[in-house]
Amino acid sequence: MAEPELTDLLPRDVLDRPSTEVAPDLLGCVLEHESPDGLVAVMLTEVEAYTGQTDPASHAYRGRTARNAVMFGPAGHAYVYFTYGMHFCVNVVCMPAGTASAVLLRAGKVIAGETLACARRTSAAGVRPADRELARGPARLCQALGIDRGLDGADLCAADSELRLRRGVATARSEGKSLIRTGPRVGVREGADVPWRFWLDGEPSVSVYRPHPRKTATSPG
DNA sequence: GCACCGATGTGCT
DNA sequence: GCACATCGGTGCC
């Protein structure tokens, strides 16, 4: 018999909840981008929750701007931002319109379209990344999937959207959440005290924890 | 494996 | 002007 449940879109009401509850539920789910170049799908292995205007580490902490407007909209859309002058990162918007919480997708395991993902991730120097590094880290995940700001606001719960979120194939999650681990979020200074990073224990595609980027110490010379 | 550093747009002070 | 939800390359262990 067919197995339609393997490709079910994630219902929007799953995302219409606090991001700290949504985040662990996204582990094992699949993000796929159907671009003109082809389809790449990634099983999520590491995420972080941001609670919006109450969270000093959130882009929404200081209120709504043109960049973060999507976060203030309804659940189930993609918030894509550009950072450090060269990288994109993607979030899943949670909670109803007016509440700007989201889940940052930090890492995943490529389960379809590996050739295309690898081509996108191959450096200018021609260095081909290892399989587990194809989508390890939020900017690498976006690069492997071909996500840029053109997908900001994309509906992740619509069948006709080119960027979609699906229920996971059978994973550790279906056997309980004992293999989900938590810890502080990566690279944040404010809000580093809350364990709102979630990952699948033992997954090689999980990014390495980094407390905070080294300060740009302007050495006197 | 870890430390350092440069690249470089956007939002905020 | 500066910090930033980052990464790739280099140097070293």
Side-chain angles (χ1 to χ4, degrees):
Chain A
M1 63 179 71
E3 305 175 45
E5 67 275 8
L6 293 182
T7 56
D8 277 356
L9 288 174
L10 199 63
R12 196 178 308 278
D13 56 14
V14 170
L15 305 173
D16 206 353
R17 297 182 296 143
S19 59
T20 49
E21 297 178 17
V22 172
D25 286 348
L26 287 178
L27 296 174
C29 290
V30 174
L31 180 69
E32 65 180 26
H33 181 204
E34 190 172 12
S35 79
D37 293 333
L39 180 127
V40 173
V42 161
M43 186 191 80
L44 302 175
T45 57
E46 181 192 3
V47 299
E48 284 177 357
Y50 290 81
T51 61
Q53 297 195 263
T54 59
D55 181 359
S58 171
H59 287 173
Y61 183 59
R62 292 177 180 83
R64 179 178 177 143
T65 67
R67 177 175 69 156
N68 66 23
V70 171
M71 262 203 289
F72 287 80
H77 293 257
Y79 164 49
V80 181
Y81 68 90
F82 186 64
T83 192
Y84 288 99
M86 59 180 75
H87 297 304
F88 298 100
C89 299
V90 63
N91 294 248
V92 176
V93 174
C94 301
M95 296 287 281
T99 303
S101 66
V103 176
L104 171 68
L105 308 183
R106 283 201 60 88
K109 174 180 164 184
V110 175
I111 60 172
E114 188 169 322
T115 302
L116 175 56
C118 191
R120 285 172 171 155
R121 287 272 295 109
T122 296
S123 70
V127 179
R128 182 184 184 278
D131 286 355
R132 70 178 176 206
E133 292 185 353
L134 282 175
R136 183 163 83 155
R140 291 164 173 168
L141 183 145
C142 280
Q143 192 175 3
L145 283 162
I147 294 174
D148 61 23
R149 255 171 39 195
L151 288 171
D152 186 41
D155 191 347
L156 299 170
C157 303
D160 61 348
S161 176
E162 68 178 279
L163 189 63
R164 299 178 292 259
L165 201 47
R166 298 190 183 278
R167 287 191 190 280
V169 295
T171 65
R173 182 175 172 275
S174 63
E175 301 174 6
K177 299 190 176 183
S178 59
L179 293 180
I180 293 178
R181 302 197 56 185
T182 71
R185 294 174 294 186
V186 173
V188 303
R189 185 171 50 178
E190 301 279 345
D193 52 329
V194 289
W196 288 347
R197 175 177 174 239
F198 303 84
W199 68 94
L200 292 178
D201 192 23
E203 267 292 334
S205 57
V206 172
S207 56
V208 179
Y209 174 65
R210 184 171 42 75
H212 192 263
R214 13 269 187 245
K215 291 179 180 176
T216 56
T218 53
S219 56

PDB file of all heavy atoms in Angstrom, chain A residues 81 84 87 91 121 137 140 189, chain C residues 2-9:
ATOM      1  N   TYR A  81      16.713  35.799   6.615  1.00  0.00           N
ATOM      2  CA  TYR A  81      17.472  37.037   6.775  1.00  0.00           C
ATOM      3  C   TYR A  81      18.895  36.851   6.271  1.00  0.00           C
ATOM      4  O   TYR A  81      19.394  35.741   6.128  1.00  0.00           O
ATOM      5  CB  TYR A  81      17.457  37.516   8.224  1.00  0.00           C
ATOM      6  CG  TYR A  81      18.212  36.639   9.204  1.00  0.00           C
ATOM      7  CD1 TYR A  81      19.555  36.852   9.476  1.00  0.00           C
ATOM      8  CD2 TYR A  81      17.563  35.603   9.856  1.00  0.00           C
ATOM      9  CE1 TYR A  81      20.243  36.062  10.379  1.00  0.00           C
ATOM     10  CE2 TYR A  81      18.244  34.804  10.757  1.00  0.00           C
ATOM     11  CZ  TYR A  81      19.579  35.034  11.017  1.00  0.00           C
ATOM     12  OH  TYR A  81      20.257  34.236  11.902  1.00  0.00           O
ATOM     13  N   TYR A  84      26.010  38.968   8.297  1.00  0.00           N
ATOM     14  CA  TYR A  84      27.457  38.981   8.137  1.00  0.00           C
ATOM     15  C   TYR A  84      27.868  39.287   6.701  1.00  0.00           C
ATOM     16  O   TYR A  84      28.929  38.855   6.247  1.00  0.00           O
ATOM     17  CB  TYR A  84      28.066  37.658   8.596  1.00  0.00           C
ATOM     18  CG  TYR A  84      28.035  37.505  10.093  1.00  0.00           C
ATOM     19  CD1 TYR A  84      27.056  36.751  10.710  1.00  0.00           C
ATOM     20  CD2 TYR A  84      28.977  38.150  10.877  1.00  0.00           C
ATOM     21  CE1 TYR A  84      27.029  36.623  12.088  1.00  0.00           C
ATOM     22  CE2 TYR A  84      28.950  38.025  12.251  1.00  0.00           C
ATOM     23  CZ  TYR A  84      27.979  37.265  12.852  1.00  0.00           C
ATOM     24  OH  TYR A  84      27.956  37.142  14.209  1.00  0.00           O
ATOM     25  N   HIS A  87      25.744  35.739   4.314  1.00  0.00           N
ATOM     26  CA  HIS A  87      25.049  34.502   4.624  1.00  0.00           C
ATOM     27  C   HIS A  87      23.548  34.700   4.811  1.00  0.00           C
ATOM     28  O   HIS A  87      23.108  35.737   5.311  1.00  0.00           O
ATOM     29  CB  HIS A  87      25.607  33.883   5.899  1.00  0.00           C
ATOM     30  CG  HIS A  87      27.038  33.492   5.791  1.00  0.00           C
ATOM     31  ND1 HIS A  87      27.496  32.644   4.810  1.00  0.00           N
ATOM     32  CD2 HIS A  87      28.128  33.841   6.515  1.00  0.00           C
ATOM     33  CE1 HIS A  87      28.804  32.472   4.947  1.00  0.00           C
ATOM     34  NE2 HIS A  87      29.211  33.194   5.967  1.00  0.00           N
ATOM     35  N   ASN A  91      14.203  30.786   9.303  1.00  0.00           N
ATOM     36  CA  ASN A  91      13.412  30.486  10.500  1.00  0.00           C
ATOM     37  C   ASN A  91      12.019  30.042  10.102  1.00  0.00           C
ATOM     38  O   ASN A  91      11.509  30.447   9.053  1.00  0.00           O
ATOM     39  CB  ASN A  91      13.229  31.737  11.367  1.00  0.00           C
ATOM     40  CG  ASN A  91      14.499  32.279  11.971  1.00  0.00           C
ATOM     41  OD1 ASN A  91      14.704  32.240  13.164  1.00  0.00           O
ATOM     42  ND2 ASN A  91      15.362  32.827  11.133  1.00  0.00           N
ATOM     43  N   ARG A 121      27.136  23.832  -2.555  1.00  0.00           N
ATOM     44  CA  ARG A 121      28.034  24.011  -1.411  1.00  0.00           C
ATOM     45  C   ARG A 121      29.509  23.914  -1.781  1.00  0.00           C
ATOM     46  O   ARG A 121      30.371  24.132  -0.949  1.00  0.00           O
ATOM     47  CB  ARG A 121      27.694  22.973  -0.341  1.00  0.00           C
ATOM     48  CG  ARG A 121      26.393  23.249   0.394  1.00  0.00           C
ATOM     49  CD  ARG A 121      26.625  24.161   1.597  1.00  0.00           C
ATOM     50  NE  ARG A 121      27.449  23.493   2.587  1.00  0.00           N
ATOM     51  CZ  ARG A 121      28.703  23.809   2.849  1.00  0.00           C
ATOM     52  NH1 ARG A 121      29.281  24.796   2.224  1.00  0.00           N
ATOM     53  NH2 ARG A 121      29.373  23.156   3.761  1.00  0.00           N
ATOM     54  N   GLY A 137      25.099  23.860  10.045  1.00  0.00           N
ATOM     55  CA  GLY A 137      25.184  25.297  10.277  1.00  0.00           C
ATOM     56  C   GLY A 137      24.086  25.996   9.502  1.00  0.00           C
ATOM     57  O   GLY A 137      23.723  25.588   8.404  1.00  0.00           O
ATOM     58  N   ARG A 140      24.984  27.272   5.960  1.00  0.00           N
ATOM     59  CA  ARG A 140      25.238  26.159   5.048  1.00  0.00           C
ATOM     60  C   ARG A 140      23.937  25.479   4.663  1.00  0.00           C
ATOM     61  O   ARG A 140      23.756  25.056   3.513  1.00  0.00           O
ATOM     62  CB  ARG A 140      26.166  25.143   5.710  1.00  0.00           C
ATOM     63  CG  ARG A 140      27.574  25.622   5.916  1.00  0.00           C
ATOM     64  CD  ARG A 140      28.250  24.707   6.907  1.00  0.00           C
ATOM     65  NE  ARG A 140      29.670  25.016   7.045  1.00  0.00           N
ATOM     66  CZ  ARG A 140      30.409  24.504   8.026  1.00  0.00           C
ATOM     67  NH1 ARG A 140      29.869  23.709   8.913  1.00  0.00           N
ATOM     68  NH2 ARG A 140      31.672  24.815   8.110  1.00  0.00           N
ATOM     69  N   ARG A 189      24.866  36.441  22.681  1.00  0.00           N
ATOM     70  CA  ARG A 189      25.437  36.981  23.911  1.00  0.00           C
ATOM     71  C   ARG A 189      24.316  37.160  24.927  1.00  0.00           C
ATOM     72  O   ARG A 189      24.264  36.492  25.942  1.00  0.00           O
ATOM     73  CB  ARG A 189      26.133  38.316  23.618  1.00  0.00           C
ATOM     74  CG  ARG A 189      26.854  38.872  24.823  1.00  0.00           C
ATOM     75  CD  ARG A 189      27.707  40.079  24.450  1.00  0.00           C
ATOM     76  NE  ARG A 189      26.946  41.067  23.666  1.00  0.00           N
ATOM     77  CZ  ARG A 189      27.443  42.205  23.251  1.00  0.00           C
ATOM     78  NH1 ARG A 189      28.698  42.488  23.492  1.00  0.00           N
ATOM     79  NH2 ARG A 189      26.706  43.047  22.574  1.00  0.00           N
TER      80      ARG A 189
ATOM     81  P    DC C   2      34.067  51.755  15.581  1.00  0.00           P
ATOM     82  OP1  DC C   2      34.917  52.026  16.755  1.00  0.00           O
ATOM     83  OP2  DC C   2      34.646  51.225  14.330  1.00  0.00           O
ATOM     84  O5'  DC C   2      32.911  50.762  16.048  1.00  0.00           O
ATOM     85  C5'  DC C   2      31.990  51.175  17.037  1.00  0.00           C
ATOM     86  C4'  DC C   2      30.925  50.119  17.198  1.00  0.00           C
ATOM     87  O4'  DC C   2      29.944  50.253  16.151  1.00  0.00           O
ATOM     88  C3'  DC C   2      31.486  48.695  17.094  1.00  0.00           C
ATOM     89  O3'  DC C   2      30.883  47.896  18.079  1.00  0.00           O
ATOM     90  C2'  DC C   2      31.075  48.266  15.695  1.00  0.00           C
ATOM     91  C1'  DC C   2      29.727  48.981  15.551  1.00  0.00           C
ATOM     92  N1   DC C   2      29.294  49.191  14.146  1.00  0.00           N
ATOM     93  C2   DC C   2      27.951  48.989  13.810  1.00  0.00           C
ATOM     94  O2   DC C   2      27.162  48.632  14.693  1.00  0.00           O
ATOM     95  N3   DC C   2      27.551  49.181  12.528  1.00  0.00           N
ATOM     96  C4   DC C   2      28.439  49.561  11.608  1.00  0.00           C
ATOM     97  N4   DC C   2      28.009  49.739  10.367  1.00  0.00           N
ATOM     98  C5   DC C   2      29.814  49.772  11.925  1.00  0.00           C
ATOM     99  C6   DC C   2      30.192  49.577  13.195  1.00  0.00           C
ATOM    100  P    DA C   3      31.587  46.562  18.652  1.00  0.00           P
ATOM    101  OP1  DA C   3      31.985  46.755  20.055  1.00  0.00           O
ATOM    102  OP2  DA C   3      32.559  46.065  17.662  1.00  0.00           O
ATOM    103  O5'  DA C   3      30.320  45.600  18.634  1.00  0.00           O
ATOM    104  C5'  DA C   3      29.121  46.023  19.267  1.00  0.00           C
ATOM    105  C4'  DA C   3      27.945  45.267  18.681  1.00  0.00           C
ATOM    106  O4'  DA C   3      27.702  45.702  17.334  1.00  0.00           O
ATOM    107  C3'  DA C   3      28.159  43.751  18.626  1.00  0.00           C
ATOM    108  O3'  DA C   3      27.003  43.111  19.113  1.00  0.00           O
ATOM    109  C2'  DA C   3      28.404  43.477  17.150  1.00  0.00           C
ATOM    110  C1'  DA C   3      27.583  44.573  16.485  1.00  0.00           C
ATOM    111  N9   DA C   3      28.077  44.966  15.161  1.00  0.00           N
ATOM    112  C8   DA C   3      29.356  45.291  14.816  1.00  0.00           C
ATOM    113  N7   DA C   3      29.497  45.636  13.559  1.00  0.00           N
ATOM    114  C5   DA C   3      28.216  45.526  13.040  1.00  0.00           C
ATOM    115  C6   DA C   3      27.686  45.751  11.762  1.00  0.00           C
ATOM    116  N6   DA C   3      28.430  46.150  10.725  1.00  0.00           N
ATOM    117  N1   DA C   3      26.365  45.539  11.588  1.00  0.00           N
ATOM    118  C2   DA C   3      25.629  45.137  12.615  1.00  0.00           C
ATOM    119  N3   DA C   3      26.006  44.905  13.866  1.00  0.00           N
ATOM    120  C4   DA C   3      27.333  45.112  14.010  1.00  0.00           C
ATOM    121  P    DC C   4      27.046  41.566  19.523  1.00  0.00           P
ATOM    122  OP1  DC C   4      26.110  41.382  20.642  1.00  0.00           O
ATOM    123  OP2  DC C   4      28.434  41.096  19.629  1.00  0.00           O
ATOM    124  O5'  DC C   4      26.409  40.907  18.213  1.00  0.00           O
ATOM    125  C5'  DC C   4      25.077  41.236  17.848  1.00  0.00           C
ATOM    126  C4'  DC C   4      24.807  40.737  16.439  1.00  0.00           C
ATOM    127  O4'  DC C   4      25.559  41.517  15.500  1.00  0.00           O
ATOM    128  C3'  DC C   4      25.232  39.284  16.200  1.00  0.00           C
ATOM    129  O3'  DC C   4      24.108  38.447  15.973  1.00  0.00           O
ATOM    130  C2'  DC C   4      26.083  39.345  14.938  1.00  0.00           C
ATOM    131  C1'  DC C   4      25.777  40.700  14.373  1.00  0.00           C
ATOM    132  N1   DC C   4      26.882  41.309  13.591  1.00  0.00           N
ATOM    133  C2   DC C   4      26.622  41.791  12.295  1.00  0.00           C
ATOM    134  O2   DC C   4      25.475  41.715  11.845  1.00  0.00           O
ATOM    135  N3   DC C   4      27.637  42.322  11.585  1.00  0.00           N
ATOM    136  C4   DC C   4      28.862  42.391  12.111  1.00  0.00           C
ATOM    137  N4   DC C   4      29.815  42.927  11.373  1.00  0.00           N
ATOM    138  C5   DC C   4      29.145  41.910  13.421  1.00  0.00           C
ATOM    139  C6   DC C   4      28.126  41.382  14.118  1.00  0.00           C
ATOM    140  P    DA C   5      22.892  38.173  16.767  1.00  0.00           P
ATOM    141  OP1  DA C   5      21.695  38.766  16.219  1.00  0.00           O
ATOM    142  OP2  DA C   5      23.284  38.431  18.168  1.00  0.00           O
ATOM    143  O5'  DA C   5      22.715  36.608  16.538  1.00  0.00           O
ATOM    144  C5'  DA C   5      23.726  35.687  16.906  1.00  0.00           C
ATOM    145  C4'  DA C   5      23.392  34.343  16.286  1.00  0.00           C
ATOM    146  O4'  DA C   5      22.005  34.065  16.533  1.00  0.00           O
ATOM    147  C3'  DA C   5      23.567  34.303  14.775  1.00  0.00           C
ATOM    148  O3'  DA C   5      23.907  32.992  14.350  1.00  0.00           O
ATOM    149  C2'  DA C   5      22.172  34.682  14.252  1.00  0.00           C
ATOM    150  C1'  DA C   5      21.310  33.963  15.288  1.00  0.00           C
ATOM    151  N9   DA C   5      20.019  34.629  15.448  1.00  0.00           N
ATOM    152  C8   DA C   5      19.734  35.760  16.151  1.00  0.00           C
ATOM    153  N7   DA C   5      18.480  36.103  16.114  1.00  0.00           N
ATOM    154  C5   DA C   5      17.885  35.129  15.331  1.00  0.00           C
ATOM    155  C6   DA C   5      16.567  34.926  14.890  1.00  0.00           C
ATOM    156  N6   DA C   5      15.561  35.719  15.212  1.00  0.00           N
ATOM    157  N1   DA C   5      16.323  33.861  14.098  1.00  0.00           N
ATOM    158  C2   DA C   5      17.339  33.054  13.774  1.00  0.00           C
ATOM    159  N3   DA C   5      18.611  33.147  14.130  1.00  0.00           N
ATOM    160  C4   DA C   5      18.827  34.208  14.909  1.00  0.00           C
ATOM    161  P    DT C   6      25.453  32.592  14.218  1.00  0.00           P
ATOM    162  OP1  DT C   6      25.569  31.165  14.134  1.00  0.00           O
ATOM    163  OP2  DT C   6      26.198  33.374  15.223  1.00  0.00           O
ATOM    164  O5'  DT C   6      25.799  33.174  12.783  1.00  0.00           O
ATOM    165  C5'  DT C   6      25.155  32.689  11.598  1.00  0.00           C
ATOM    166  C4'  DT C   6      26.180  32.396  10.546  1.00  0.00           C
ATOM    167  O4'  DT C   6      27.131  33.470  10.519  1.00  0.00           O
ATOM    168  C3'  DT C   6      26.991  31.119  10.786  1.00  0.00           C
ATOM    169  O3'  DT C   6      26.681  30.195   9.758  1.00  0.00           O
ATOM    170  C2'  DT C   6      28.440  31.548  10.747  1.00  0.00           C
ATOM    171  C1'  DT C   6      28.380  32.940  10.135  1.00  0.00           C
ATOM    172  N1   DT C   6      29.432  33.833  10.642  1.00  0.00           N
ATOM    173  C2   DT C   6      30.295  34.387   9.734  1.00  0.00           C
ATOM    174  O2   DT C   6      30.232  34.177   8.547  1.00  0.00           O
ATOM    175  N3   DT C   6      31.227  35.210  10.275  1.00  0.00           N
ATOM    176  C4   DT C   6      31.395  35.527  11.600  1.00  0.00           C
ATOM    177  O4   DT C   6      32.272  36.288  11.951  1.00  0.00           O
ATOM    178  C5   DT C   6      30.465  34.912  12.502  1.00  0.00           C
ATOM    179  C7   DT C   6      30.554  35.190  13.960  1.00  0.00           C
ATOM    180  C6   DT C   6      29.541  34.107  11.989  1.00  0.00           C
ATOM    181  P    DC C   7      27.377  28.713   9.744  1.00  0.00           P
ATOM    182  OP1  DC C   7      26.440  27.822   9.066  1.00  0.00           O
ATOM    183  OP2  DC C   7      27.890  28.385  11.071  1.00  0.00           O
ATOM    184  O5'  DC C   7      28.613  28.933   8.762  1.00  0.00           O
ATOM    185  C5'  DC C   7      28.366  29.474   7.482  1.00  0.00           C
ATOM    186  C4'  DC C   7      29.656  29.768   6.777  1.00  0.00           C
ATOM    187  O4'  DC C   7      30.347  30.833   7.438  1.00  0.00           O
ATOM    188  C3'  DC C   7      30.614  28.573   6.715  1.00  0.00           C
ATOM    189  O3'  DC C   7      30.964  28.346   5.374  1.00  0.00           O
ATOM    190  C2'  DC C   7      31.804  29.020   7.562  1.00  0.00           C
ATOM    191  C1'  DC C   7      31.719  30.538   7.490  1.00  0.00           C
ATOM    192  N1   DC C   7      32.286  31.223   8.665  1.00  0.00           N
ATOM    193  C2   DC C   7      33.191  32.275   8.486  1.00  0.00           C
ATOM    194  O2   DC C   7      33.514  32.593   7.348  1.00  0.00           O
ATOM    195  N3   DC C   7      33.700  32.899   9.567  1.00  0.00           N
ATOM    196  C4   DC C   7      33.326  32.518  10.789  1.00  0.00           C
ATOM    197  N4   DC C   7      33.845  33.161  11.827  1.00  0.00           N
ATOM    198  C5   DC C   7      32.403  31.459  10.999  1.00  0.00           C
ATOM    199  C6   DC C   7      31.908  30.839   9.915  1.00  0.00           C
ATOM    200  P    DG C   8      31.641  26.976   4.895  1.00  0.00           P
ATOM    201  OP1  DG C   8      30.842  26.498   3.763  1.00  0.00           O
ATOM    202  OP2  DG C   8      31.881  26.096   6.057  1.00  0.00           O
ATOM    203  O5'  DG C   8      33.061  27.445   4.359  1.00  0.00           O
ATOM    204  C5'  DG C   8      33.112  28.430   3.351  1.00  0.00           C
ATOM    205  C4'  DG C   8      34.537  28.927   3.196  1.00  0.00           C
ATOM    206  O4'  DG C   8      34.898  29.702   4.363  1.00  0.00           O
ATOM    207  C3'  DG C   8      35.568  27.811   3.074  1.00  0.00           C
ATOM    208  O3'  DG C   8      36.496  28.158   2.063  1.00  0.00           O
ATOM    209  C2'  DG C   8      36.221  27.754   4.457  1.00  0.00           C
ATOM    210  C1'  DG C   8      36.080  29.192   4.945  1.00  0.00           C
ATOM    211  N9   DG C   8      35.921  29.308   6.391  1.00  0.00           N
ATOM    212  C8   DG C   8      35.168  28.500   7.207  1.00  0.00           C
ATOM    213  N7   DG C   8      35.204  28.856   8.470  1.00  0.00           N
ATOM    214  C5   DG C   8      36.030  29.963   8.474  1.00  0.00           C
ATOM    215  C6   DG C   8      36.452  30.778   9.552  1.00  0.00           C
ATOM    216  O6   DG C   8      36.171  30.677  10.743  1.00  0.00           O
ATOM    217  N1   DG C   8      37.288  31.797   9.123  1.00  0.00           N
ATOM    218  C2   DG C   8      37.679  32.007   7.827  1.00  0.00           C
ATOM    219  N2   DG C   8      38.488  33.035   7.599  1.00  0.00           N
ATOM    220  N3   DG C   8      37.293  31.252   6.810  1.00  0.00           N
ATOM    221  C4   DG C   8      36.476  30.253   7.213  1.00  0.00           C
ATOM    222  P    DG C   9      37.635  27.131   1.593  1.00  0.00           P
ATOM    223  OP1  DG C   9      37.718  27.243   0.129  1.00  0.00           O
ATOM    224  OP2  DG C   9      37.426  25.812   2.230  1.00  0.00           O
ATOM    225  O5'  DG C   9      38.948  27.754   2.231  1.00  0.00           O
ATOM    226  C5'  DG C   9      39.345  29.054   1.838  1.00  0.00           C
ATOM    227  C4'  DG C   9      40.477  29.529   2.709  1.00  0.00           C
ATOM    228  O4'  DG C   9      39.987  29.736   4.061  1.00  0.00           O
ATOM    229  C3'  DG C   9      41.636  28.531   2.825  1.00  0.00           C
ATOM    230  O3'  DG C   9      42.848  29.192   2.459  1.00  0.00           O
ATOM    231  C2'  DG C   9      41.642  28.101   4.282  1.00  0.00           C
ATOM    232  C1'  DG C   9      40.945  29.259   4.982  1.00  0.00           C
ATOM    233  N9   DG C   9      40.237  28.856   6.197  1.00  0.00           N
ATOM    234  C8   DG C   9      39.321  27.849   6.326  1.00  0.00           C
ATOM    235  N7   DG C   9      38.848  27.735   7.546  1.00  0.00           N
ATOM    236  C5   DG C   9      39.492  28.725   8.255  1.00  0.00           C
ATOM    237  C6   DG C   9      39.390  29.085   9.619  1.00  0.00           C
ATOM    238  O6   DG C   9      38.693  28.577  10.494  1.00  0.00           O
ATOM    239  N1   DG C   9      40.226  30.153   9.931  1.00  0.00           N
ATOM    240  C2   DG C   9      41.048  30.780   9.035  1.00  0.00           C
ATOM    241  N2   DG C   9      41.782  31.781   9.520  1.00  0.00           N
ATOM    242  N3   DG C   9      41.153  30.461   7.758  1.00  0.00           N
ATOM    243  C4   DG C   9      40.355  29.429   7.438  1.00  0.00           C
TER     244       DG C   9
END
